[in-house]
Amino acid sequence: MQRIAAIFTCLVFSIVIGGLLSRNGAVPKARLSDFEPVSAPILPGLVDPIGAADGSTPNRMDRLVLRVVDDAGLPLPGAALVARGGVSVIWAFTKADGTASLDGLSQGNSRLAVIAFPHPCLEVDIEPGADVRQIQLRPPATLPQALHDIARSRCAGGLAWAGLESAAGYELLLLPVARASEFGGTLPRSTVCDQSGKFAFEGLAHGRYLLKVLPPWASGGSWPDLAAENSRELDFKGENTALTIELARGRIEGEVRDDLGRALEGALVLMNEMANESHVWPPCSTGPDGRFQFQDVPPGKYRVTCRAGEGSSTLEDLAVEAGATAWAALPAFAARKRP
């Protein structure tokens, strides 16, 4: 074993010494000329099966020369030509003299589309040939007249607001009188008033509008309309920054008591128009004194219903006038059944 270890050690030492000696020897550099071929390679010529590379040949079997003229027979430059035959598509544009050549057409008919706005698009069948084919387009299409600019101006003003309460959130809605299908007609617009009742429409289209004023809880709807009769139409013909809109607002107040004359607190009170039962106001509840009220009520007749416990009471045909408070004298009722 000792002999084998000694032989292995000598072998490794010899390899290391040889490697160190080889690093000191110069390695010859390769020359570029050693990689250059002796002569240029000779490549076979490319085959042009349809002769497309030979542009000077006038009688090519795949070519068709076209001349496009307008309805008066004058050359039409810049017309787009698109030929489709099988799966291939070939296109070109006519030159100043109205001519263009389509090369690479397949034998047989191809479908050609000629596009030259404002002339109507034309489609014809073509096939290659030596003769120049002339294509005459139909007269230009009659273009519609440009729409007139819509006259617009600024419209601003305020509500004829009475009292110290805030008008913030009241919505002013303008509905066009003209049909929406009329060109240049008006479109619906809306805006919200500030605390003092001021409003503004920027760039409002001139025209006639129906006008509505909605309380904050009805914003985005179409009722109840608080505009007075003399302020429900707007004929807007130009800038107006001092538009005043009169309001017609009433109020309903009432008191709910049981059959013993005691005030009912927390009773539910509902109200709706007599002429349209779907026009229901947000419900309210009675206070500790049994009182309730509805604000922003347009003139008309209303139904008021109160419910408490197991009992209810209704008052119909309650008339409301603008600027006045209508008292809802609901009949007393028993909130709980007595044995």
Side-chain angles (χ1 to χ4, degrees):
M1 294 295 295
Q2 294 178 353
R3 181 177 296 175
I4 295 175
I7 295 174
F8 180 75
T9 303
C10 293
L11 180 60
V12 173
F13 183 76
S14 300
I15 294 174
V16 173
I17 295 299
L20 293 174
L21 294 176
S22 63
R23 291 180 61 182
N24 296 329
V27 180
K29 297 182 179 180
R31 293 176 301 175
L32 183 60
S33 59
D34 295 339
F35 298 95
E36 294 180 352
V38 179
S39 59
I42 300 176
L43 301 176
L46 296 176
V47 178
D48 183 9
I50 62 174
D54 187 8
S56 61
T57 304
N59 297 323
R60 282 174 42 178
M61 301 301 297
D62 66 326
R63 170 178 292 177
L64 176 63
V65 179
L66 300 168
R67 183 172 182 268
V68 180
V69 298
D70 60 15
D71 54 302
L74 301 176
L76 194 60
L81 310 176
V82 182
R84 181 184 296 275
V87 296
S88 62
V89 177
I90 301 172
W91 56 272
F93 291 93
T94 57
K95 297 180 290 187
D97 59 355
T99 61
S101 62
L102 297 174
D103 298 335
L105 294 173
S106 58
Q107 296 297 322
N109 286 342
S110 298
R111 193 66 175 173
L112 173 68
V114 183
I115 306 172
F117 185 81
H119 296 271
C121 182
L122 177 66
E123 290 193 14
V124 295
D125 291 329
I126 61 169
E127 57 180 344
D131 298 332
V132 177
R133 177 167 179 175
Q134 179 166 301
I135 296 178
Q136 187 170 19
L137 299 182
R138 288 174 290 178
T142 302
L143 300 179
Q145 296 182 354
L147 298 178
H148 298 290
D149 292 336
I150 299 176
R152 301 178 184 274
S153 302
R154 188 172 189 268
C155 179
L159 305 179
W161 196 253
L164 301 178
E165 52 191 322
S166 173
Y170 282 74
E171 183 181 31
L172 179 59
L173 177 64
L174 299 182
L175 300 175
V177 174
R179 296 191 302 270
S181 59
E182 295 182 7
F183 285 113
T186 53
L187 296 175
R189 295 284 301 272
S190 66
T191 189
V192 177
C193 301
D194 64 10
Q195 185 173 359
S196 61
K198 300 296 183 182
F199 63 85
F201 291 96
E202 303 296 341
L204 181 64
H206 295 183
R208 295 178 59 228
Y209 297 88
L210 298 178
L211 188 149
K212 293 187 176 185
V213 178
L214 307 175
W217 63 266
S219 179
S222 59
W223 64 271
D225 182 12
L226 302 179
E229 288 290 340
N230 59 351
S231 295
R232 292 187 175 179
E233 288 192 15
L234 173 62
D235 189 5
F236 186 61
K237 299 179 179 179
E239 182 171 346
N240 186 347
T241 58
L243 178 63
T244 300
I245 299 176
E246 301 290 338
L247 299 180
R249 305 165 60 229
R251 181 195 301 261
I252 293 178
E253 293 184 358
E255 186 179 54
V256 179
R257 293 185 176 272
D258 63 10
D259 55 344
L260 298 179
R262 297 174 300 186
L264 290 177
E265 180 181 1
L268 178 67
V269 184
L270 306 174
M271 186 188 74
N272 66 272
E273 284 186 323
M274 292 294 296
N276 190 339
E277 294 187 358
S278 65
H279 287 180
V280 181
W281 264 249
C284 68
S285 58
T286 57
D289 56 355
R291 301 286 293 269
F292 67 89
Q293 67 175 1
F294 291 96
Q295 299 183 12
D296 293 325
V297 181
K301 292 187 176 182
Y302 297 89
R303 176 187 293 111
V304 180
T305 301
C306 177
R307 297 175 183 174
E310 300 176 355
S312 64
S313 179
T314 300
L315 176 65
E316 296 190 351
D317 292 326
L318 177 62
V320 176
E321 297 180 357
T325 299
W327 180 258
L330 288 164
F333 63 95
R336 293 178 177 83
K337 294 181 180 180
R338 295 178 175 81

